[in-house]
Structure formats: C-alpha cells, structure tokens
C-alpha cells in the first residue's frame, strides 16, 4: 500500500496551444486523491486556445504569452513559474519550441506527448505522413524534453493499429484516446525517478 503520510503533490504547469483534450485528462488525473500532481498553472501560446476553458472551469491560474519575442516571453514566464513554485512542466499540444536556456532551467522536469511512435515521425502532420507511408502501426509517446525536437528520452509509448480505411482524422482520434491514458501513467512513472 502507498504510504500517504507526508505525501505532497508536485506543483505542475501544463502548456497548451489548442483544444486541450490532454489538459482535460491531466486535470482529471490531478484531482484523484492519490495523484502525484497538482495543476497550479496553465500556459497558452494562443489567446483563443479552446483548452483555456478548462482553466476557467477548474479555477486554475492561466496566462497567455504570444512568444513572438521568445526570450522576453520566456523571461516573464520563468518568473511566473517561480511564483507558482512549479516543479514539473507538461507540454500538451504546445506549438512553441522552447529555448535551450529555458529547457536547461527545468532540466529533466519537462515532459511532452507526441502523436507518433518516436523516433519515427517527429514534427508536424504525423498522421498524414503515417497514412501516406502505409504504416501498419502508429501510436503516441511521452518523453522528456531536451534541446532537440521530439528527441528526449522516451518514458512510455502506446501502439495502435492503422486500419486500411484510416484517414488522418480517424487516426488522430484513435491516438488521442490512448494519449489520454498514457500521459498520466507516464507522469507517475517519471516522478518516481525525478
Ligand atoms: C496531441 O495529439 C498531442 O500529442 C500533440 O498535439 C495534440 C494536442 O491535442 N502534441 P490536445 O490539445 O491535447 O487535444
């Protein structure tokens, strides 16, 4: 049995740019009594990101940065992360590439979810490329973020079958369902080794 005496949830920030379905699943996970994380801060790179609605719904602090001047936005953001005593950052559909300097400051404490079986299909438009290449399988990966795109150490992966009738949208939906399952599990796994 897990001993909960002295158990303190890890202050976590989730960074988004869009729909926020992973954010929604992470909030649900964080609200479980035995969850190792507490989501204290939601960061968006887009003012109209649908995912921001979850921040409102759950009364979680949120801020939007446009990242046009990346070093300025990161400087302000780092201050906010310090104020909120953030110890873990989960990227969830966040479309900005963070600087080496930022990543260094949170070394080993930034996780990302990517909709492919890394190291295959790094970058954008993964589902289109998977289908065009007639892959039999695809999936999703949770990994640590390092200074190279989608290349950090893998924490967890889930494989799905690509059916003959698959299109990018159906594959996206199929994989998203798995993403919502593995991101919480991967966080728990990562936190045991932090
Ligand atoms: C997910 O497929 C994630 O793997 C990728 O961007 C998408 C975000 O979806 N990085 P959502 O905003 O969490 O719904």
């Amino acid at each position: 049995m897990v001993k909960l005496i002295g158990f303190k949830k890890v202050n976590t920030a989730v960074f988004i740019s869009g729909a926020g379905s992973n954010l929604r699943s992470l909030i649900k996970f964080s609200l479980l009594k035995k969850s190792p994380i507490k989501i204290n801060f939601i960061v968006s790179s887009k003012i109209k990101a649908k995912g921001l609605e979850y921040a409102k719904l759950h009364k979680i602090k949120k801020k939007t940065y446009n990242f046009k001047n990346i070093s300025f936005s990161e400087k302000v953001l780092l201050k906010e992360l310090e104020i909120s005593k953030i110890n873990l950052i989960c990227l969830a559909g966040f479309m900005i590439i963070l600087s080496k300097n930022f990543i260094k400051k949170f070394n080993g404490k930034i996780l990302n979810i990517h909709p492919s079986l890394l190291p295959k299909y790094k970058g954008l438009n993964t589902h289109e490329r998977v289908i065009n290449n007639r892959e039999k399988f695809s999936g999703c990966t949770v990994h640590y973020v390092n200074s190279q795109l989608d290349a950090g150490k893998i924490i967890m992966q889930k494989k799905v079958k690509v059916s003959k009738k698959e299109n990018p949208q159906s594959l996206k939906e199929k994989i998203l369902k798995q993403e919502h399952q593995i991101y919480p599990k991967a966080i728990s796994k990562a936190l045991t080794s932090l």
Side-chain angles (χ1 to χ4, degrees), residues 18-23 92-93 112-115 176 179:
S21 69
N22 278 289
L23 168 64
N112 182 41
I113 186 148
H114 183 77
L176 264 179
E179 292 185 30

Side-chain angles (χ1 to χ4, degrees), residues 110-159:
I110 311 179
L111 312 185
N112 182 41
I113 186 148
H114 183 77
S116 80
L117 292 173
L118 291 174
K120 288 178 98 176
Y121 300 101
K122 294 174 182 172
L124 297 174
N125 305 317
T126 53
H127 309 310
E128 285 84 347
R129 289 186 283 140
V130 162
I131 288 171
N132 289 343
N133 288 344
R134 298 178 200 283
E135 296 280 2
K136 287 199 168 62
F137 295 96
S138 187
C140 45
T141 305
V142 179
H143 64 94
Y144 289 100
V145 171
N146 65 14
S147 57
Q148 280 149 347
L149 185 69
D150 299 329
K153 190 176 167 217
I154 292 171
I155 302 163
M156 202 173 274
Q157 290 187 304
K158 178 77 188 185
K159 200 169 167 180

Side-chain angles (χ1 to χ4, degrees), residues 4-187:
L4 284 175
I5 303 163
F7 174 82
K8 196 170 179 305
K9 295 192 178 199
V10 175
N11 290 337
T12 302
V14 182
F15 289 17
I16 62 164
S17 298
S21 69
N22 278 289
L23 168 64
R24 187 185 54 200
S25 101
L26 293 183
I27 293 174
K28 198 173 156 206
F29 170 63
S30 73
L31 295 174
L32 299 174
K33 205 171 166 196
K34 287 186 181 174
S35 169
I37 60 162
K38 178 175 193 299
I39 299 176
N40 318 57
F41 189 24
I42 293 166
V43 170
S44 174
S45 65
K46 293 214 176 106
I47 194 112
K48 289 194 173 150
K50 198 175 161 277
L52 284 172
E53 287 170 17
Y54 300 114
K56 214 172 151 192
L57 193 68
H58 293 275
K59 298 190 174 58
I60 302 170
K61 172 177 160 183
K62 63 170 182 350
K63 290 239 157 122
T64 302
Y65 302 85
N66 66 25
F67 292 95
K68 277 194 183 130
N69 178 338
I70 190 118
S71 65
F72 177 76
S73 289
E74 285 186 346
K75 202 173 151 200
V76 184
L77 173 56
L78 279 167
K79 193 80 206 146
E80 286 293 343
L81 293 167
E82 201 185 311
I83 291 168
S84 294
K85 298 190 167 55
I86 297 301
N87 275 317
L88 178 72
I89 295 174
C90 296
L91 308 184
F94 185 62
M95 299 303 283
I96 301 293
I97 297 175
L98 294 163
S99 72
K100 278 187 186 155
N101 175 51
F102 186 98
I103 293 167
K104 216 167 128 194
K105 292 224 161 84
F106 273 86
N107 192 18
K109 293 179 178 178
I110 311 179
L111 312 185
N112 182 41
I113 186 148
H114 183 77
S116 80
L117 292 173
L118 291 174
K120 288 178 98 176
Y121 300 101
K122 294 174 182 172
L124 297 174
N125 305 317
T126 53
H127 309 310
E128 285 84 347
R129 289 186 283 140
V130 162
I131 288 171
N132 289 343
N133 288 344
R134 298 178 200 283
E135 296 280 2
K136 287 199 168 62
F137 295 96
S138 187
C140 45
T141 305
V142 179
H143 64 94
Y144 289 100
V145 171
N146 65 14
S147 57
Q148 280 149 347
L149 185 69
D150 299 329
K153 190 176 167 217
I154 292 171
I155 302 163
M156 202 173 274
Q157 290 187 304
K158 178 77 188 185
K159 200 169 167 180
V160 305
K161 206 168 181 313
V162 181
S163 77
K164 293 226 167 67
K165 299 175 290 186
E166 210 80 72
N167 59 55
Q169 184 59 25
S170 65
L171 186 57
K172 177 183 163 184
E173 286 164 18
K174 192 188 268 186
I175 291 176
L176 264 179
K177 274 191 194 149
Q178 299 306 323
E179 292 185 30
H180 302 156
Q181 301 296 319
I182 71 160
Y183 212 171
K185 287 184 190 156
I187 290 171

